[in-house]
Amino acid sequence: MTPRPIYRWKSFWLGVVVLGFLAWAWGRSMGNTDGFMWWSPGVAVMGGQSAGQVHLAWDGSRPYPAGQMVWIHEPISTVGEPRFPQGWVWERYPRQIQVAVAHWLVMGVFAVAWAGFLGWRWRRGLEIG
């Protein structure tokens, strides 16, 4: 017996929703900066998305006020910015770390893992049936 068609699997539709969300976030990041900043004594953690990338940064280079968190949303101009930025950027300075991953890379890694899972599940269904 063959397994149900893939379009009837919940895992298929969940993957479609996740890919749709990631595509929406990529499009939104090309016109807006969204993120947060959190300060604790002596360190700041920042995360967000902007210009087609997801960013995360840790900064312990100077004293910060304790226990504050700020949400950031502001429109930006991405004229001249590439639609497909570099996939992975890692920068390290004294007491600072900055990481940026392109949205297209996040979507690609998810799509490959999701397709592998669906293929594994399909094959398992053929073996059991």
Side-chain angles (χ1 to χ4, degrees):
M1 182 169 104
T2 60
R4 289 184 303 164
I6 291 177
Y7 69 87
R8 298 188 75 193
W9 296 355
K10 292 176 191 167
S11 53
F12 171 79
W13 290 108
L14 179 62
V16 169
V17 169
V18 169
L19 277 178
F21 172 76
L22 291 172
W24 170 81
W26 184 4
R28 180 173 171 79
S29 76
M30 294 307 289
N32 295 289
T33 293
D34 297 306
F36 70 92
M37 295 177 72
W38 175 74
W39 297 286
S40 71
V43 70
V45 177
M46 295 151 270
Q49 66 174 9
S50 179
Q53 294 180 323
V54 179
H55 304 275
L56 186 61
W58 178 86
D59 184 359
S61 63
R62 61 182 198 255
Y64 289 95
Q68 294 182 356
M69 185 167 187
V70 177
W71 293 99
I72 301 165
H73 168 75
E74 54 188 47
I76 60 170
S77 173
T78 55
V79 175
E81 293 286 336
R83 194 87 163 128
F84 292 90
Q86 184 177 351
W88 178 269
V89 179
W90 172 274
E91 297 177 354
R92 186 175 177 139
Y93 305 102
R95 299 186 46 89
Q96 292 182 349
I97 299 172
Q98 299 174 11
V99 178
V101 180
H103 277 282
W104 64 263
L105 183 60
V106 174
M107 289 178 67
V109 168
F110 175 79
V112 167
W114 176 53
F117 171 75
L118 292 177
W120 168 80
R121 188 168 171 215
W122 177 266
R123 187 166 178 100
R124 194 180 113 219
L126 289 175
E127 292 172 357
I128 293 174

